[in-house]
Amino acid sequence: VADINPPRDELKHIHSSNPNIRFHPMDISSFNSVSRIIHEIKPKVVFHLASMIDLRVCPSPVLYSVNVTGTENVIRAIQTIDDGRTSGTPTTRYLVYTSTIDVACVPHQGCEHVTEADGYSKKSPTNYEVTKVEAEKMVLAANRNGNNGYCTTNSITIALRPGHVFGIFDPVIPTMEAVPPIAVGPSWSRMSMVYVENIAIAHIHSYYLLLQQYDRRRQAKIENGEDIGGKPFFITDFDANFCDFYFSLIGKKSSKWI
């Protein structure tokens, strides 16, 4: 686990109980920091979950440096080390990137009736979506492509687009309990939700699928359209109204609507 901040207190027991889980301080906005950790660990797969969410009209400059520059740093770092035996063969062969369903949303319509084949939103509502679109494009372009400007060797990449992630240690719940919101807009509006453990499982399964496909590709057994490398995938459980859903979690009635 590599992050700029150490694990939260409620998660430290996971690190202390498993000797195979170690924390490494790393600043994703610094290529030297990312490269140092990648070269030290030499992981076979990188799960890139780091992201900053800032929906303000004038966001923090850290938004771009984390979401875009940070993603470029990860791609460059994993593609500039090899296994010491074959030139151009990366030790880190797989990159699973956590994107967001918002990269494909349509203004005033959301993601309803949108599929992965529809491409990116033509007009992103916030700078957050703009940075996630740019980062996801970099990740997918790096798939098996050593001449795309981001890398020098071939690795296999995939992007997962989760809906709103909820679950244990959800920071929204105490906020809703302390200051019940007044919702503005139609009460029938919905957003896609995904439970935190399900999105975690999706990351692991994606890696296993990439492993299987790589082995099949080496045996020339993979068929057209079967390769998931270089593609994005929506990960959701259900759609619900944001305020009504959270109020149901904390045992309160529906929120006030204007």
Side-chain angles (χ1 to χ4, degrees):
V1 179
D3 198 353
I4 196 169
N5 297 313
R8 297 184 301 182
D9 289 340
E10 59 265 31
L11 299 177
K12 286 182 178 178
H13 70 280
I14 300 176
H15 296 254
S16 60
S17 62
N18 190 333
N20 294 320
I21 300 178
R22 291 183 297 167
F23 171 73
H24 302 267
M26 183 189 79
D27 178 2
I28 197 171
S29 64
S30 164
F31 175 73
N32 289 337
S33 179
V34 175
S35 181
R36 177 179 58 82
I37 295 298
I38 295 295
H39 280 70
E40 176 185 331
I41 302 174
K42 293 183 171 61
K44 189 171 185 179
V45 58
V46 168
F47 297 98
H48 175 17
L49 292 84
S51 181
M52 180 180 183
I53 300 177
D54 189 340
L55 305 181
R56 295 175 297 178
V57 175
C58 297
S60 165
V62 178
L63 180 71
Y64 190 91
S65 64
V66 170
N67 294 0
V68 179
T69 304
T71 299
E72 183 175 6
N73 289 339
V74 170
I75 296 172
R76 288 176 57 202
I78 68 175
Q79 303 270 15
T80 53
I81 58 174
D82 58 47
D83 61 6
R85 295 172 298 171
T86 306
S87 178
T89 301
T91 302
T92 305
R93 182 172 291 279
Y94 305 99
L95 171 60
V96 181
Y97 172 65
T98 309
S99 184
T100 171
I101 196 172
D102 294 334
V103 300
C105 289
V106 178
H108 310 299
Q109 179 182 325
C111 298
E112 188 176 9
H113 307 307
V114 174
T115 71
E116 292 88 342
D118 292 323
Y120 297 100
S121 172
K122 292 181 173 58
K123 186 178 180 181
S124 300
T126 71
N127 286 287
Y128 166 68
E129 283 87 357
V130 171
T131 62
K132 295 298 285 186
V133 167
E134 187 171 346
E136 184 184 289
K137 286 181 176 180
M138 283 194 290
V139 169
L140 300 183
N143 183 65
R144 302 183 186 279
N145 184 0
N147 300 304
N148 64 3
Y150 298 115
C151 58
T152 58
T153 56
N154 293 322
S155 284
I156 304 171
T157 67
I158 188 173
L160 304 185
R161 297 173 174 176
H164 175 77
V165 181
F166 71 95
I168 188 170
F169 305 129
D170 191 333
V172 176
I173 292 178
T175 301
M176 296 281 276
E177 290 178 320
V179 186
I182 296 177
V184 178
S187 60
W188 47 259
S189 63
R190 300 289 185 268
M191 68 185 303
S192 295
M193 304 282 190
V194 59
Y195 184 57
V196 62
E197 291 185 9
N198 290 341
I199 184 62
I201 291 170
H203 280 73
I204 302 300
H205 282 198
S206 297
Y207 169 50
Y208 285 152
L209 285 173
L210 290 174
L211 274 176
Q212 293 171 7
Q213 291 195 349
Y214 174 70
D215 289 338
R216 294 185 65 194
R217 179 177 292 278
R218 286 193 303 175
Q219 300 170 27
K221 292 182 179 179
I222 198 163
E223 299 177 4
N224 263 349
E226 190 178 12
D227 194 346
I228 65 171
K231 296 176 182 177
F233 294 91
F234 293 149
I235 308 293
T236 65
D237 286 327
F238 57 86
D239 292 345
N241 178 272
F242 181 88
C243 291
D244 287 346
F245 171 70
Y246 271 99
F247 266 81
S248 70
L249 289 184
I250 62 178
K252 292 189 177 182
K253 293 182 179 180
S254 298
S255 51
K256 298 178 181 179
W257 291 91
I258 294 179

